[in-house]
Amino acid sequence: MSKERSVLPGRFSGLSIKLIATIIGVILLVEVVVYVPSLASFRANWLEDRLRVGIVAARVLDAVPDVMALPRSLTDRLLTSAGANAIVYRRQGQSQLIELAMPVRPDVVVTADMRQQDIMTLAAGALDTLFAGPGRTLRIVGEGDLDESLVEILMSEYPLRQDMLAYSRQIAAVSLAIAALTAVALYLLVSGLFIAPVRRLTQNMLAYRQEPENAALILTPSARRDEIGILERELAAMERDIFSMLRQRRHLAELGLAVAKINHDLRNTLTSAQLLSDQVATLDDPKVQRLAPRLVTTLDKAIGFAQSVLDYGRETAAPPVFEPVKLHDLVVDAAFEARLVGHPTVQFRNGVAEELILSVDAVQFGRVLVNLLKNAREALEAQNNGHDPVPEVAVSVTEDEAQTVISVTDNGPGLAPRARENLFVAFEGSARAGGTGLGLAIAREIVEAHGGRIGHVPTPTGTRFDIELPADLRTSL
């Protein structure tokens, strides 16, 4: 199988560039949130400055009984200092007006009432000015320095908008500088604490994936006590386990190949010996007639053992093909194959309801049932003495909301202690003398592939195996 080679991102790509971009983005977002109140405050101060000039002009107007007697040069100087087209002073129900020699008659007038200082009003006014079109006239309204006096200033909104744009550019430049400096500082800090160790782990995983049997590539964990330190130690332990497992697998593969070759030759030799034993069994010598059956039985067991080893070595890990199957019929077929149907001494009882349908692989699951039923038959045949109780093998099913349990029981002698300790272990967990234990090992693999479990249930007499399958395998045709 070819291995697709992954490439480690550059230093300023991958997590690094994402980290820098995230820091800059967060800082700029914070600056945007701060920017609007700051801009509103700038606009309010700008308007207050113009209003103070208007208040000075109002004092002059208040000191002069007849505003028409004021020199034009003085009124123009007052308007110029305020940048205004006109100033209106209202006090005790009277109004006084100073305006340019060439009065301006505005088309669009927007009012800025400085008596309202709440943040929402100031922010709305600032945004309105910032995005306003050209040609608008601004009417600034505020209280004078005397009781119940009011000052109004009429002026072009253009100077205010220009000053706000210049202020915004300054804020943007300062924000970018702060974001860049902060991003660099945080990157250097986070890079040393997190990104560099993560890159080290990534490089190690990429290199070890290419050469998992190279012990020099096993990670040497640091002394960190945080999550990255735990990750380093767990990765190093996993790599050591993989290294040991791969080395063991290679040894087992080489050993298995040698055993298969020896077993093949041994099977051929035993087959020849079986042919000779069959010929010897035809001789009339009483001693030969007495010993020949034992010789034939021994050779049959040896040949069967050799064949089972070869069959287990050829086992494939094909996933099950799930399809609706009547479990009752599947048990009948398995009992027939296990030679329980029509058996002269062993009775068979199929307690599975005919309407029960499971979604399983019929071929694979049938092998599980055949192995269990065959083991039960052989155990009963070995201990049958012709007395009660009558040897019996039974299959039953119990169902609940969580699972379906298939039980295979017999009333035989039960399992030997050694067999119980090594159940489902190939070549060690045989339920009968001379067996290989491959049937139970294969049965466990098939049941687990179906998402279930198989286990031995201790009983006072006999043997019982339970197959637990998920309830969602119950279906209908």
Side-chain angles (χ1 to χ4, degrees), residues 42-161:
F42 174 83
R43 176 177 176 272
N45 292 333
W46 195 94
L47 295 176
E48 290 285 355
D49 290 342
R50 297 302 182 274
L51 192 60
R52 278 193 290 269
V53 176
I55 292 174
V56 172
R59 289 177 182 175
V60 175
L61 295 177
D62 194 54
V64 178
D66 185 8
V67 69
M68 301 299 296
L70 288 174
R72 171 57 60 181
S73 60
L74 177 60
T75 59
D76 288 347
R77 193 178 305 117
L78 290 172
L79 293 172
T80 302
S81 62
N85 299 327
I87 299 176
V88 180
Y89 177 59
R90 305 179 190 278
R91 183 170 181 266
Q92 296 179 350
Q94 298 180 355
S95 299
Q96 292 178 305
L97 170 66
I98 302 177
E99 61 179 345
L100 293 175
M102 298 292 294
V104 177
R105 297 295 180 261
D107 294 330
V108 180
V109 178
V110 60
T111 300
D113 192 343
M114 301 309 296
R115 293 170 296 180
Q116 299 180 4
Q117 295 289 329
D118 60 282
I119 186 63
M120 296 301 297
T121 302
L122 294 177
L127 294 176
D128 179 64
T129 300
L130 187 65
F131 296 103
R136 297 202 313 183
T137 297
L138 183 64
R139 175 173 170 260
I140 308 172
V141 180
E143 295 179 352
D145 56 349
L146 298 177
D147 294 339
E148 298 182 0
S149 62
L150 195 66
V151 177
E152 297 182 14
I153 299 176
L154 291 177
M155 60 179 297
S156 172
E157 193 180 35
Y158 181 78
L160 172 60
R161 186 170 183 273

Side-chain angles (χ1 to χ4, degrees), residues 417-453:
R418 181 181 180 278
R420 295 182 184 181
E421 295 172 0
N422 299 283
L423 275 178
F424 310 109
V425 179
F427 304 108
E428 295 186 15
S430 175
R432 60 184 176 84
T436 62
L438 294 177
L440 291 178
I442 295 172
R444 182 188 64 176
E445 293 178 357
I446 294 175
V447 172
E448 290 178 350
H450 282 72
R453 297 184 304 173

Side-chain angles (χ1 to χ4, degrees), residues 338-359:
R339 292 188 292 172
L340 277 170
V341 177
H343 195 281
T345 59
V346 179
Q347 293 184 359
F348 173 69
R349 180 167 53 86
N350 186 354
V352 180
E354 295 188 5
E355 64 273 10
L356 179 59
I357 299 174
L358 298 180
S359 179

